[in-house]
Amino acid sequence: MSGSDPVLSPSPLYWPVQRQRNRGVRALFCVVAAFVAIYAYLFPGLLSIGGLSKFCQSWFPLALVSMAQAILMLTGGINLAIGATVSLGAVIAATTMSGPLGAPGAIAAVAFAGLGIGAICGLIVVRLRLPAIIVTLAGSFIIGGMALLVLPRPGGEIPAWFSDFLAGGTPVAALLLALIVLAWKLYLATPLGLSLYAAGENPVAAYRSGVPVDAARIAAYAISGLLSTGAGLYVAAQTGSGDPVIGQAFTLNSIAAAVLGGVGFLGGHGTMRGAIAGSLLLSVMVNVMFFLGFPPVAQYVAQGLIIIGAVALPQIGARGRRA
Amino acid sequence: MSDAGATPLFVRRAALFLRSGPFLTVLVVAAVWIVAGLTMAGFGSYGHLRYMLELAAVIGLVAAGQTLVVIGGGIDLSVGAIVTVSAVGVPLLPWDADASGVAAVLAILAGATGIGLLNGLGVAFLRVHPMIMTLAMATFLQGVLIIVAGGSAVSMHNPLVAWLGEARPWGVPAGIVLWVVVSLLTLLILHATPFGARIFALGANPLATSLSGVDVRVTTMAIFAASGLTAGLAGVLMLGMNGQGYVGIGDPYVLASIAAVVLGGTSILGGSGTYAGSIPGSALLVTITALITVVNASPGWRSILFGSLILGLLLLSGRESRRR
């Protein structure tokens, strides 16, 4: 990139722009901070390296899929195949990890599968102009079927050292997340990244201004696939084996986190920091409810209510101000 | 309309009809049935075709409400949960005093309509995006269902529901009769009433519709309530055919109903389409599932085939959306 890059070398406009972008998610940040405070109060063990890394490990996969969902929603798409893609990543990791190529080969296979599946979905949606919701819904069956073919029943094996490295007592997950956020910042500074918001907000205007709309959208699908299979790899490392249906809950949760984070359905609206904060809120909420002794299914009820509340409250507030 | 000259009106109408989505979908279904009936033993038998139509009736009922919602510019992802609510709810209602079982069914249908109405309230008044609202509703219902019904299946002893699942007045299964009645009503509402015109207007341009004096909120609530009602009906029919309900029984119907609607030529973006396409769309989906079952593949391949076939059919019938 050239020296006048807007992200790498802060111009006088950088911080005002960031403040502007934070405006929509400030309330969310306050709620997240409050929930984290409650969690830390209930569970003082959180405030140690071990507690923090354990929490980051439980949060990490959700953060990844929320980013995967948010990047597509920013382009005006949606991915209902995220759960299936996570499962596929998990089973590929569990079956290739102990193979001849070892961990590097498995990571490469998982990354390649994610990028490839994402790119194919993107090509179908963008080039053939089919609605994303249906393509990814049908795609979830195809990808889920592939996961079942790779590993018909839970099994496979992840070497213990690999699980210990990713999901042991060290804050590797937190570091990885920081690296991924940094990579996202860098991506936003590339031509494709810059096109992302433009392609989502107004594709026709963006196209006529010379923005590579199609390429930006297909790249977004590929990155989304990569993040999803990456989450699958991590889940496999956490559980030590592969499960062809382990990812199912991630589809809804990723949408919930992105929406909580203020990412709009119509494209071009929202921020990745919002989506990540949304995923943090969901996972803190689950942990707090678990700690308070709620039955696991009560999570569903609470989650449904919280999502509606989080989306509806700003609307009601806006109307109150207008009246 | 007379300026087109040589070609008479009915010829142009006929040409339009032959190129319409619903008709093409019927052609595809007919072609698949004929080929499969000639190549596979038992596929074309009267009993098997009737059984497939019975299964299609369940999808068709869910798709009826889904069609209204999609034409109105929304989407209902909670239909699966509502089907489950009614399939699990009827046996759980402790109303043994009513020997005919009508009261329990009516109560559940009212409940399903109420859930749909809540969806509509959220979309219309809280301005929550339909996808979020209905997904959140589905999540909420799933939690409630597991708490109330647990993981085990519940058997029903409801005479009306049993009759719906098993009776064959004039040799036609009652479920298919129900489907025909609902289909006629849906088509009538959609194409022959002011309310139907308002649904199309709402889906095409909500702002213009609102500025034209249409109460957009009432229309939105009505279509979501209708979707809840038809999903509830489908759940009752499912229960009658199955004999028992369990949590998760309605899950496949989210994708199936949306696919039936879109395969039938209704635009997922709203504003155009017809239930006349969703009817053969439902039949097509059941046919695909039946064919995949006949192929006798592993669950993985079955899932891949199902997804690929839907995707392939979409490429054929998705021409309308390509032009937009």
Side-chain angles (χ1 to χ4, degrees), chain A residues 273-323:
Chain A
R273 72 195 68 163
I276 294 174
S279 71
L280 178 58
L281 178 60
L282 274 189
S283 99
V284 171
M285 198 193 80
V286 168
N287 279 329
V288 167
M289 288 184 68
F290 177 75
F291 204 79
L292 292 179
F294 282 88
V297 285
Q299 283 169 20
Y300 288 116
V301 177
Q303 201 171 318
L305 292 176
I306 285 182
I307 294 168
I308 297 176
V311 179
L313 280 180
Q315 292 286 348
I316 298 171
R319 197 170 308 155
R321 248 171 278 139
R322 236 182 292 134

Side-chain angles (χ1 to χ4, degrees), chain B residues 234-312:
Chain B
V236 172
L237 178 58
M238 272 279 273
L239 179 65
M241 286 162 56
N242 246 11
Q244 53 185 10
Y246 51 89
V247 177
I249 193 172
D251 288 353
Y253 291 96
V254 182
L255 174 68
S257 66
I258 297 173
V261 168
V262 176
L263 288 177
T266 297
S267 164
I268 194 84
L269 304 170
S272 76
T274 169
Y275 183 61
S278 310
I279 298 171
S282 311
L284 186 55
L285 275 177
V286 173
T287 313
I288 293 173
T289 319
L291 283 178
I292 291 171
T293 319
V294 168
V295 170
N296 197 10
S298 72
W301 277 115
R302 232 181 284 165
S303 182
I304 293 179
L305 272 176
F306 185 69
S308 313
L309 280 172
I310 288 183
L311 210 53

Side-chain angles (χ1 to χ4, degrees), chain B residues 74-89:
Chain B
I75 192 158
D76 192 343
L77 301 179
S78 68
V79 284
I82 299 179
V83 168
T84 310
V85 163
S86 88
V88 171

Side-chain angles (χ1 to χ4, degrees), chain B residues 9-169:
Chain B
L9 186 63
F10 74 91
V11 173
R12 273 182 287 137
R13 281 250 173 97
L16 211 60
F17 174 75
L18 288 180
R19 270 183 285 136
S20 67
F23 180 72
L24 288 177
T25 318
V26 171
L27 274 190
V28 172
V29 174
V32 173
W33 278 23
I34 290 171
V35 171
L38 289 179
T39 52
M40 288 174 208
F43 188 94
S45 72
Y46 174 68
H48 186 249
L49 292 184
R50 188 179 60 193
Y51 178 61
M52 285 206 298
L53 270 186
E54 274 189 87
L55 293 179
V58 182
I59 299 181
L61 284 175
V62 183
Q66 188 74 268
T67 308
L68 297 185
V69 173
V70 169
I71 290 178
I75 192 158
D76 192 343
L77 301 179
S78 68
V79 284
I82 299 179
V83 168
T84 310
V85 163
S86 88
V88 171
V90 170
L92 285 183
L93 280 183
W95 289 356
D96 292 330
D98 176 29
S100 63
V102 176
V105 170
L106 284 183
I108 281 296
L109 289 183
T113 314
I115 294 170
L117 201 60
L118 276 180
N119 279 332
L121 272 173
V123 173
F125 284 92
L126 303 181
R127 312 253 245 118
V128 182
H129 190 281
M131 212 186 300
I132 309 266
M133 184 64 216
T134 53
L135 255 185
M137 178 62 85
T139 317
F140 176 80
L141 289 177
Q142 193 184 352
V144 171
L145 277 169
I146 298 176
I147 292 173
V148 172
S152 53
V154 277
S155 304
M156 58 96 195
H157 311 282
N158 188 314
L160 177 64
V161 177
W163 179 84
L164 197 60
E166 282 153 18
R168 298 223 169 108

